[in-house]
Amino acid sequence: MNRIAILQNHLGGQKKIYIDSAYDYLCFDDLLTPEQIAFRKSVREFAEREIAPRINEHYEKAAFPEYMLGPLRESGLIRKFAEKPYGEGADIVMLSLMVMELARVDASALTFISGQITLINKTLELFGSEEQKKRYIDKISRSEIIGGWALTESKVGSDAS
């Protein structure tokens, strides 16, 4: 049974591949500002519109969902988290809201998008030279290029634990 069939079976035959909502015992939205609520809604709509309809075909093929890059670029989602002057410098609460909404639809898309924000751009912002920042952060934030991150340990191999 493939992923879609498993999820449809779990959701009682519904065509959706994610759960719309669960009862919020914590009244979470009451803790958020109107700006945060609007952002959360926009990420949810983006994920449902741009990621959910086609992500399973890529999951089943173990292929990167390149179709997502155009809508991601247009959404400005990665740019929102890059520090000024490269982006808006959104805070950790906004990042957490993005993580929550993307994970609701697809964890692999979340991993890619949050990796571009946290591993790539944040590493460049903290440790990159000015030349590297100018060369890469803006392009990564606009989804014009995809950043990569590698870990090496010169004396102990690649066991990161």
Side-chain angles (χ1 to χ4, degrees), residues 8-62:
Q8 286 177 347
N9 185 45
H10 177 71
L11 296 173
Q14 296 177 30
K15 296 291 183 188
K16 292 184 179 177
I17 60 164
Y18 52 85
I19 298 171
D20 281 332
S21 65
Y23 188 77
D24 181 6
Y25 292 102
L26 302 175
C27 301
F28 185 71
D29 281 352
D30 292 347
L31 304 172
L32 302 175
T33 67
E35 178 190 12
Q36 291 166 337
I37 292 170
F39 175 71
R40 179 180 177 192
K41 181 180 178 194
S42 73
V43 173
R44 178 177 287 205
E45 289 170 353
F46 169 80
E48 290 176 354
R49 181 183 65 249
E50 303 296 345
I51 298 172
R54 295 179 53 196
I55 197 66
N56 279 315
E57 67 189 70
H58 296 279
Y59 179 87
E60 295 293 334
K61 295 176 186 174

Short mmCIF file of all heavy atoms in Angstrom, two decimals, residues 8-62:
data_model
loop_
_atom_site.label_atom_id
_atom_site.label_comp_id
_atom_site.label_asym_id
_atom_site.label_seq_id
_atom_site.Cartn_x
_atom_site.Cartn_y
_atom_site.Cartn_z
N GLN A 8 -5.26 7.92 3.15
CA GLN A 8 -6.69 7.97 2.86
C GLN A 8 -7.45 6.97 3.72
O GLN A 8 -8.53 7.26 4.21
CB GLN A 8 -6.94 7.71 1.37
CG GLN A 8 -6.56 8.88 0.51
CD GLN A 8 -6.72 8.60 -0.97
OE1 GLN A 8 -6.89 7.46 -1.39
NE2 GLN A 8 -6.66 9.66 -1.76
N ASN A 9 -6.88 5.80 3.90
CA ASN A 9 -7.49 4.80 4.76
C ASN A 9 -7.58 5.32 6.20
O ASN A 9 -8.61 5.20 6.86
CB ASN A 9 -6.67 3.51 4.70
CG ASN A 9 -7.33 2.39 5.48
OD1 ASN A 9 -8.53 2.18 5.37
ND2 ASN A 9 -6.54 1.67 6.25
N HIS A 10 -6.50 5.93 6.67
CA HIS A 10 -6.47 6.48 8.02
C HIS A 10 -7.49 7.60 8.20
O HIS A 10 -8.09 7.74 9.27
CB HIS A 10 -5.06 6.99 8.33
CG HIS A 10 -4.93 7.63 9.67
ND1 HIS A 10 -4.98 6.91 10.85
CD2 HIS A 10 -4.78 8.93 10.03
CE1 HIS A 10 -4.85 7.74 11.87
NE2 HIS A 10 -4.73 8.97 11.40
N LEU A 11 -7.69 8.39 7.17
CA LEU A 11 -8.62 9.52 7.25
C LEU A 11 -10.03 9.16 6.78
O LEU A 11 -10.82 10.03 6.45
CB LEU A 11 -8.07 10.70 6.42
CG LEU A 11 -6.76 11.29 6.90
CD1 LEU A 11 -6.24 12.32 5.91
CD2 LEU A 11 -6.92 11.91 8.27
N GLY A 12 -10.33 7.88 6.75
CA GLY A 12 -11.69 7.46 6.40
C GLY A 12 -12.02 7.65 4.93
O GLY A 12 -13.15 7.96 4.59
N GLY A 13 -11.04 7.52 4.05
CA GLY A 13 -11.28 7.62 2.61
C GLY A 13 -11.23 9.03 2.06
O GLY A 13 -11.46 9.25 0.88
N GLN A 14 -10.96 10.03 2.89
CA GLN A 14 -10.88 11.40 2.40
C GLN A 14 -9.73 11.54 1.42
O GLN A 14 -8.74 10.82 1.49
CB GLN A 14 -10.64 12.37 3.56
CG GLN A 14 -11.77 12.43 4.55
CD GLN A 14 -11.44 13.35 5.70
OE1 GLN A 14 -10.71 14.31 5.54
NE2 GLN A 14 -11.98 13.05 6.87
N LYS A 15 -9.84 12.47 0.49
CA LYS A 15 -8.81 12.69 -0.52
C LYS A 15 -7.64 13.53 0.00
O LYS A 15 -6.59 13.57 -0.60
CB LYS A 15 -9.40 13.38 -1.76
CG LYS A 15 -10.42 12.53 -2.48
CD LYS A 15 -9.75 11.35 -3.14
CE LYS A 15 -10.77 10.55 -3.92
NZ LYS A 15 -10.23 9.32 -4.43
N LYS A 16 -7.81 14.20 1.11
CA LYS A 16 -6.74 15.03 1.65
C LYS A 16 -5.63 14.16 2.20
O LYS A 16 -5.87 13.06 2.67
CB LYS A 16 -7.27 15.96 2.73
CG LYS A 16 -8.21 17.00 2.19
CD LYS A 16 -8.64 17.95 3.26
CE LYS A 16 -9.55 19.00 2.65
NZ LYS A 16 -10.06 19.90 3.63
N ILE A 17 -4.40 14.70 2.14
CA ILE A 17 -3.26 13.94 2.64
C ILE A 17 -2.74 14.52 3.95
O ILE A 17 -1.65 14.22 4.37
CB ILE A 17 -2.12 13.90 1.60
CG1 ILE A 17 -1.67 15.31 1.28
CG2 ILE A 17 -2.54 13.15 0.36
CD1 ILE A 17 -0.35 15.38 0.58
N TYR A 18 -3.52 15.36 4.58
CA TYR A 18 -3.15 15.96 5.85
C TYR A 18 -4.42 16.12 6.66
O TYR A 18 -5.52 16.09 6.14
CB TYR A 18 -2.46 17.32 5.64
CG TYR A 18 -3.28 18.24 4.77
CD1 TYR A 18 -4.29 19.02 5.32
CD2 TYR A 18 -3.08 18.29 3.41
CE1 TYR A 18 -5.07 19.82 4.52
CE2 TYR A 18 -3.86 19.09 2.60
CZ TYR A 18 -4.85 19.86 3.17
OH TYR A 18 -5.64 20.65 2.39
N ILE A 19 -4.26 16.30 7.92
CA ILE A 19 -5.41 16.48 8.81
C ILE A 19 -5.70 17.97 8.90
O ILE A 19 -4.82 18.77 9.17
CB ILE A 19 -5.11 15.88 10.20
CG1 ILE A 19 -4.89 14.38 10.06
CG2 ILE A 19 -6.25 16.19 11.17
CD1 ILE A 19 -4.39 13.71 11.31
N ASP A 20 -6.95 18.35 8.65
CA ASP A 20 -7.32 19.76 8.66
C ASP A 20 -7.02 20.43 9.99
O ASP A 20 -6.42 21.48 10.04
CB ASP A 20 -8.81 19.94 8.36
CG ASP A 20 -9.10 19.84 6.88
OD1 ASP A 20 -8.21 20.14 6.07
OD2 ASP A 20 -10.22 19.44 6.54
N SER A 21 -7.46 19.83 11.05
CA SER A 21 -7.23 20.43 12.36
C SER A 21 -7.57 19.42 13.43
O SER A 21 -8.25 18.43 13.19
CB SER A 21 -8.08 21.69 12.55
OG SER A 21 -9.44 21.36 12.55
N ALA A 22 -7.12 19.69 14.59
CA ALA A 22 -7.48 18.92 15.77
C ALA A 22 -7.99 19.95 16.78
O ALA A 22 -7.68 21.13 16.68
CB ALA A 22 -6.28 18.17 16.32
N TYR A 23 -8.73 19.49 17.75
CA TYR A 23 -9.23 20.45 18.73
C TYR A 23 -8.06 21.07 19.47
O TYR A 23 -7.14 20.38 19.90
CB TYR A 23 -10.19 19.76 19.71
CG TYR A 23 -10.85 20.78 20.60
CD1 TYR A 23 -11.89 21.55 20.11
CD2 TYR A 23 -10.41 20.98 21.89
CE1 TYR A 23 -12.49 22.51 20.90
CE2 TYR A 23 -10.99 21.94 22.69
CZ TYR A 23 -12.03 22.71 22.20
OH TYR A 23 -12.61 23.66 22.98
N ASP A 24 -8.07 22.37 19.60
CA ASP A 24 -6.98 23.11 20.23
C ASP A 24 -7.30 23.33 21.70
O ASP A 24 -7.95 24.29 22.08
CB ASP A 24 -6.79 24.44 19.51
CG ASP A 24 -5.66 25.26 20.08
OD1 ASP A 24 -4.94 24.77 20.97
OD2 ASP A 24 -5.49 26.41 19.65
N TYR A 25 -6.83 22.43 22.54
CA TYR A 25 -7.09 22.52 23.98
C TYR A 25 -6.38 23.69 24.63
O TYR A 25 -6.76 24.13 25.71
CB TYR A 25 -6.65 21.22 24.68
CG TYR A 25 -7.49 20.04 24.30
CD1 TYR A 25 -7.03 19.12 23.38
CD2 TYR A 25 -8.75 19.86 24.85
CE1 TYR A 25 -7.80 18.02 23.02
CE2 TYR A 25 -9.53 18.77 24.50
CZ TYR A 25 -9.05 17.86 23.58
OH TYR A 25 -9.82 16.80 23.23
N LEU A 26 -5.32 24.18 24.00
CA LEU A 26 -4.54 25.27 24.59
C LEU A 26 -4.98 26.66 24.13
O LEU A 26 -4.43 27.66 24.57
CB LEU A 26 -3.06 25.09 24.24
CG LEU A 26 -2.44 23.78 24.70
CD1 LEU A 26 -1.02 23.66 24.19
CD2 LEU A 26 -2.48 23.67 26.21
N CYS A 27 -5.97 26.72 23.23
CA CYS A 27 -6.40 28.01 22.67
C CYS A 27 -5.18 28.76 22.13
O CYS A 27 -4.96 29.94 22.46
CB CYS A 27 -7.17 28.82 23.69
SG CYS A 27 -8.64 27.98 24.30
N PHE A 28 -4.39 28.06 21.35
CA PHE A 28 -3.11 28.57 20.86
C PHE A 28 -3.23 29.93 20.16
O PHE A 28 -2.43 30.83 20.39
CB PHE A 28 -2.48 27.53 19.93
CG PHE A 28 -1.12 27.89 19.45
CD1 PHE A 28 -0.04 27.87 20.32
CD2 PHE A 28 -0.90 28.23 18.14
CE1 PHE A 28 1.24 28.20 19.89
CE2 PHE A 28 0.37 28.55 17.69
CZ PHE A 28 1.44 28.54 18.57
N ASP A 29 -4.23 30.07 19.30
CA ASP A 29 -4.37 31.34 18.57
C ASP A 29 -4.57 32.54 19.49
O ASP A 29 -4.22 33.66 19.13
CB ASP A 29 -5.52 31.26 17.56
CG ASP A 29 -5.12 30.53 16.30
OD1 ASP A 29 -3.92 30.20 16.14
OD2 ASP A 29 -6.00 30.28 15.45
N ASP A 30 -5.10 32.31 20.68
CA ASP A 30 -5.28 33.41 21.63
C ASP A 30 -3.95 33.96 22.11
O ASP A 30 -3.89 35.07 22.65
CB ASP A 30 -6.11 32.95 22.83
CG ASP A 30 -7.54 32.64 22.46
OD1 ASP A 30 -7.97 33.00 21.35
OD2 ASP A 30 -8.23 32.03 23.30
N LEU A 31 -2.88 33.20 21.94
CA LEU A 31 -1.55 33.62 22.37
C LEU A 31 -0.80 34.39 21.29
O LEU A 31 0.27 34.94 21.55
CB LEU A 31 -0.71 32.40 22.78
CG LEU A 31 -1.32 31.51 23.86
CD1 LEU A 31 -0.48 30.25 24.02
CD2 LEU A 31 -1.43 32.27 25.17
N LEU A 32 -1.36 34.42 20.08
CA LEU A 32 -0.66 35.02 18.94
C LEU A 32 -1.17 36.43 18.64
O LEU A 32 -2.31 36.76 18.93
CB LEU A 32 -0.86 34.14 17.70
CG LEU A 32 -0.38 32.70 17.82
CD1 LEU A 32 -0.76 31.93 16.56
CD2 LEU A 32 1.11 32.63 18.08
N THR A 33 -0.29 37.22 18.03
CA THR A 33 -0.69 38.55 17.57
C THR A 33 -1.46 38.41 16.26
O THR A 33 -1.37 37.36 15.59
CB THR A 33 0.55 39.43 17.31
OG1 THR A 33 1.27 38.89 16.19
CG2 THR A 33 1.44 39.51 18.54
N PRO A 34 -2.19 39.42 15.86
CA PRO A 34 -2.89 39.35 14.56
C PRO A 34 -1.91 39.10 13.39
O PRO A 34 -2.24 38.36 12.47
CB PRO A 34 -3.55 40.73 14.44
CG PRO A 34 -3.78 41.13 15.87
CD PRO A 34 -2.59 40.62 16.62
N GLU A 35 -0.72 39.69 13.46
CA GLU A 35 0.28 39.46 12.41
C GLU A 35 0.71 37.99 12.37
O GLU A 35 0.84 37.39 11.29
CB GLU A 35 1.51 40.34 12.63
CG GLU A 35 2.61 40.12 11.61
CD GLU A 35 3.92 40.81 11.94
OE1 GLU A 35 4.08 41.30 13.07
OE2 GLU A 35 4.79 40.83 11.06
N GLN A 36 0.90 37.39 13.52
CA GLN A 36 1.30 35.99 13.59
C GLN A 36 0.19 35.07 13.08
O GLN A 36 0.45 34.10 12.37
CB GLN A 36 1.70 35.62 15.02
CG GLN A 36 2.98 36.29 15.46
CD GLN A 36 3.21 36.21 16.96
OE1 GLN A 36 2.27 36.05 17.75
NE2 GLN A 36 4.46 36.33 17.37
N ILE A 37 -1.05 35.38 13.42
CA ILE A 37 -2.18 34.59 12.95
C ILE A 37 -2.29 34.68 11.43
O ILE A 37 -2.50 33.67 10.75
CB ILE A 37 -3.49 35.04 13.63
CG1 ILE A 37 -3.45 34.68 15.12
CG2 ILE A 37 -4.71 34.42 12.95
CD1 ILE A 37 -4.56 35.28 15.95
N ALA A 38 -2.12 35.88 10.88
CA ALA A 38 -2.19 36.06 9.43
C ALA A 38 -1.05 35.30 8.74
O ALA A 38 -1.26 34.68 7.69
CB ALA A 38 -2.13 37.55 9.08
N PHE A 39 0.14 35.34 9.32
CA PHE A 39 1.27 34.62 8.74
C PHE A 39 1.01 33.12 8.77
O PHE A 39 1.23 32.41 7.78
CB PHE A 39 2.57 34.96 9.48
CG PHE A 39 3.74 34.16 9.00
CD1 PHE A 39 4.28 34.40 7.75
CD2 PHE A 39 4.28 33.16 9.78
CE1 PHE A 39 5.34 33.64 7.27
CE2 PHE A 39 5.35 32.40 9.33
CZ PHE A 39 5.88 32.65 8.07
N ARG A 40 0.55 32.62 9.89
CA ARG A 40 0.25 31.18 10.02
C ARG A 40 -0.76 30.76 8.96
O ARG A 40 -0.61 29.74 8.30
CB ARG A 40 -0.28 30.90 11.42
CG ARG A 40 -0.64 29.46 11.65
CD ARG A 40 -1.16 29.28 13.07
NE ARG A 40 -1.57 27.91 13.27
CZ ARG A 40 -2.27 27.51 14.31
NH1 ARG A 40 -2.62 28.36 15.26
NH2 ARG A 40 -2.63 26.27 14.43
N LYS A 41 -1.79 31.57 8.77
CA LYS A 41 -2.81 31.27 7.78
C LYS A 41 -2.20 31.27 6.37
O LYS A 41 -2.52 30.40 5.56
CB LYS A 41 -3.94 32.29 7.87
CG LYS A 41 -5.05 32.03 6.90
CD LYS A 41 -6.16 33.06 7.02
CE LYS A 41 -7.22 32.78 5.97
NZ LYS A 41 -8.14 33.87 5.81
N SER A 42 -1.33 32.23 6.09
CA SER A 42 -0.73 32.30 4.75
C SER A 42 0.17 31.10 4.48
O SER A 42 0.20 30.58 3.36
CB SER A 42 0.02 33.62 4.55
OG SER A 42 1.23 33.63 5.29
N VAL A 43 0.90 30.63 5.49
CA VAL A 43 1.75 29.45 5.31
C VAL A 43 0.87 28.22 5.11
O VAL A 43 1.15 27.38 4.26
CB VAL A 43 2.71 29.26 6.50
CG1 VAL A 43 3.46 27.94 6.37
CG2 VAL A 43 3.68 30.42 6.60
N ARG A 44 -0.21 28.11 5.87
CA ARG A 44 -1.13 26.98 5.72
C ARG A 44 -1.70 26.95 4.31
O ARG A 44 -1.73 25.90 3.65
CB ARG A 44 -2.26 27.06 6.74
CG ARG A 44 -3.27 25.93 6.58
CD ARG A 44 -4.33 25.97 7.63
NE ARG A 44 -3.74 25.53 8.89
CZ ARG A 44 -4.44 25.01 9.89
NH1 ARG A 44 -5.74 24.86 9.79
NH2 ARG A 44 -3.83 24.63 10.99
N GLU A 45 -2.14 28.11 3.83
CA GLU A 45 -2.71 28.18 2.48
C GLU A 45 -1.67 27.84 1.42
O GLU A 45 -1.96 27.13 0.46
CB GLU A 45 -3.31 29.57 2.24
CG GLU A 45 -4.56 29.81 3.04
CD GLU A 45 -5.04 31.26 3.01
OE1 GLU A 45 -4.31 32.13 2.47
OE2 GLU A 45 -6.13 31.53 3.56
N PHE A 46 -0.45 28.34 1.60
CA PHE A 46 0.65 28.01 0.67
C PHE A 46 0.89 26.51 0.65
O PHE A 46 0.98 25.90 -0.43
CB PHE A 46 1.92 28.75 1.09
CG PHE A 46 3.15 28.29 0.35
CD1 PHE A 46 3.41 28.73 -0.93
CD2 PHE A 46 4.03 27.39 0.94
CE1 PHE A 46 4.52 28.30 -1.63
CE2 PHE A 46 5.15 26.95 0.26
CZ PHE A 46 5.39 27.40 -1.04
N ALA A 47 0.99 25.90 1.81
CA ALA A 47 1.27 24.47 1.89
C ALA A 47 0.15 23.63 1.27
O ALA A 47 0.41 22.68 0.54
CB ALA A 47 1.50 24.06 3.34
N GLU A 48 -1.07 24.00 1.54
CA GLU A 48 -2.20 23.26 0.99
C GLU A 48 -2.33 23.44 -0.51
O GLU A 48 -2.69 22.50 -1.23
CB GLU A 48 -3.50 23.69 1.68
CG GLU A 48 -3.58 23.23 3.12
CD GLU A 48 -4.82 23.74 3.84
OE1 GLU A 48 -5.58 24.56 3.28
OE2 GLU A 48 -5.02 23.32 4.99
N ARG A 49 -2.03 24.64 -0.99
CA ARG A 49 -2.18 24.95 -2.42
C ARG A 49 -0.99 24.47 -3.25
O ARG A 49 -1.15 23.91 -4.33
CB ARG A 49 -2.36 26.47 -2.58
CG ARG A 49 -2.56 26.94 -4.00
CD ARG A 49 -2.68 28.48 -4.09
NE ARG A 49 -1.44 29.12 -3.69
CZ ARG A 49 -1.27 29.84 -2.57
NH1 ARG A 49 -2.27 30.03 -1.75
NH2 ARG A 49 -0.11 30.39 -2.29
N GLU A 50 0.23 24.67 -2.74
CA GLU A 50 1.42 24.44 -3.56
C GLU A 50 2.16 23.14 -3.27
O GLU A 50 2.82 22.62 -4.15
CB GLU A 50 2.39 25.62 -3.39
CG GLU A 50 1.81 26.97 -3.73
CD GLU A 50 1.40 27.12 -5.19
OE1 GLU A 50 1.81 26.29 -6.04
OE2 GLU A 50 0.65 28.07 -5.50
N ILE A 51 2.08 22.64 -2.05
CA ILE A 51 2.85 21.44 -1.71
C ILE A 51 1.98 20.20 -1.71
O ILE A 51 2.30 19.20 -2.36
CB ILE A 51 3.53 21.63 -0.33
CG1 ILE A 51 4.53 22.79 -0.40
CG2 ILE A 51 4.23 20.34 0.09
CD1 ILE A 51 5.12 23.19 0.93
N ALA A 52 0.87 20.24 -1.01
CA ALA A 52 0.05 19.04 -0.79
C ALA A 52 -0.41 18.35 -2.08
O ALA A 52 -0.33 17.11 -2.15
CB ALA A 52 -1.16 19.39 0.07
N PRO A 53 -0.86 19.06 -3.09
CA PRO A 53 -1.43 18.35 -4.25
C PRO A 53 -0.45 17.43 -4.98
O PRO A 53 -0.87 16.45 -5.60
CB PRO A 53 -1.90 19.47 -5.17
CG PRO A 53 -2.12 20.63 -4.27
CD PRO A 53 -1.07 20.51 -3.20
N ARG A 54 0.86 17.72 -4.93
CA ARG A 54 1.80 16.95 -5.76
C ARG A 54 2.93 16.29 -4.98
O ARG A 54 3.73 15.58 -5.57
CB ARG A 54 2.39 17.88 -6.80
CG ARG A 54 1.36 18.38 -7.78
CD ARG A 54 1.91 19.32 -8.82
NE ARG A 54 3.05 18.75 -9.52
CZ ARG A 54 3.89 19.48 -10.24
NH1 ARG A 54 3.71 20.78 -10.35
NH2 ARG A 54 4.92 18.93 -10.84
N ILE A 55 3.02 16.51 -3.69
CA ILE A 55 4.19 16.03 -2.96
C ILE A 55 4.27 14.50 -2.92
O ILE A 55 5.37 13.93 -2.96
CB ILE A 55 4.25 16.62 -1.53
CG1 ILE A 55 5.65 16.46 -0.93
CG2 ILE A 55 3.20 16.02 -0.63
CD1 ILE A 55 6.74 17.24 -1.63
N ASN A 56 3.16 13.82 -2.89
CA ASN A 56 3.20 12.36 -2.80
C ASN A 56 3.83 11.70 -4.01
O ASN A 56 4.52 10.68 -3.88
CB ASN A 56 1.80 11.79 -2.55
CG ASN A 56 1.44 11.88 -1.09
OD1 ASN A 56 2.23 11.57 -0.23
ND2 ASN A 56 0.25 12.37 -0.82
N GLU A 57 3.62 12.25 -5.20
CA GLU A 57 4.25 11.65 -6.38
C GLU A 57 5.77 11.72 -6.27
O GLU A 57 6.47 10.80 -6.70
CB GLU A 57 3.77 12.32 -7.67
CG GLU A 57 4.21 13.76 -7.84
CD GLU A 57 3.57 14.48 -9.01
OE1 GLU A 57 2.34 14.73 -8.95
OE2 GLU A 57 4.29 14.78 -9.97
N HIS A 58 6.29 12.75 -5.65
CA HIS A 58 7.74 12.87 -5.46
C HIS A 58 8.21 11.97 -4.33
O HIS A 58 9.29 11.41 -4.40
CB HIS A 58 8.12 14.33 -5.21
CG HIS A 58 7.83 15.18 -6.39
ND1 HIS A 58 8.65 15.26 -7.48
CD2 HIS A 58 6.76 15.96 -6.68
CE1 HIS A 58 8.13 16.04 -8.38
NE2 HIS A 58 6.97 16.49 -7.93
N TYR A 59 7.40 11.84 -3.32
CA TYR A 59 7.72 10.95 -2.20
C TYR A 59 7.84 9.51 -2.71
O TYR A 59 8.79 8.81 -2.39
CB TYR A 59 6.63 11.07 -1.13
CG TYR A 59 6.85 10.17 0.06
CD1 TYR A 59 7.62 10.57 1.13
CD2 TYR A 59 6.28 8.90 0.10
CE1 TYR A 59 7.83 9.75 2.23
CE2 TYR A 59 6.47 8.07 1.19
CZ TYR A 59 7.25 8.50 2.24
OH TYR A 59 7.45 7.67 3.32
N GLU A 60 6.86 9.09 -3.49
CA GLU A 60 6.85 7.72 -4.01
C GLU A 60 8.04 7.45 -4.93
O GLU A 60 8.55 6.34 -4.98
CB GLU A 60 5.55 7.43 -4.76
CG GLU A 60 4.31 7.46 -3.88
CD GLU A 60 4.26 6.34 -2.86
OE1 GLU A 60 4.86 5.28 -3.09
OE2 GLU A 60 3.62 6.54 -1.81
N LYS A 61 8.50 8.47 -5.66
CA LYS A 61 9.63 8.32 -6.59
C LYS A 61 10.97 8.61 -5.92
O LYS A 61 12.01 8.47 -6.55
CB LYS A 61 9.47 9.27 -7.78
CG LYS A 61 8.29 8.97 -8.66
CD LYS A 61 8.18 10.04 -9.72
CE LYS A 61 6.92 9.86 -10.55
NZ LYS A 61 6.73 10.97 -11.49
N ALA A 62 10.95 9.07 -4.68
CA ALA A 62 12.15 9.52 -3.97
C ALA A 62 12.87 10.59 -4.79
O ALA A 62 14.09 10.56 -4.98
CB ALA A 62 13.08 8.35 -3.66
#
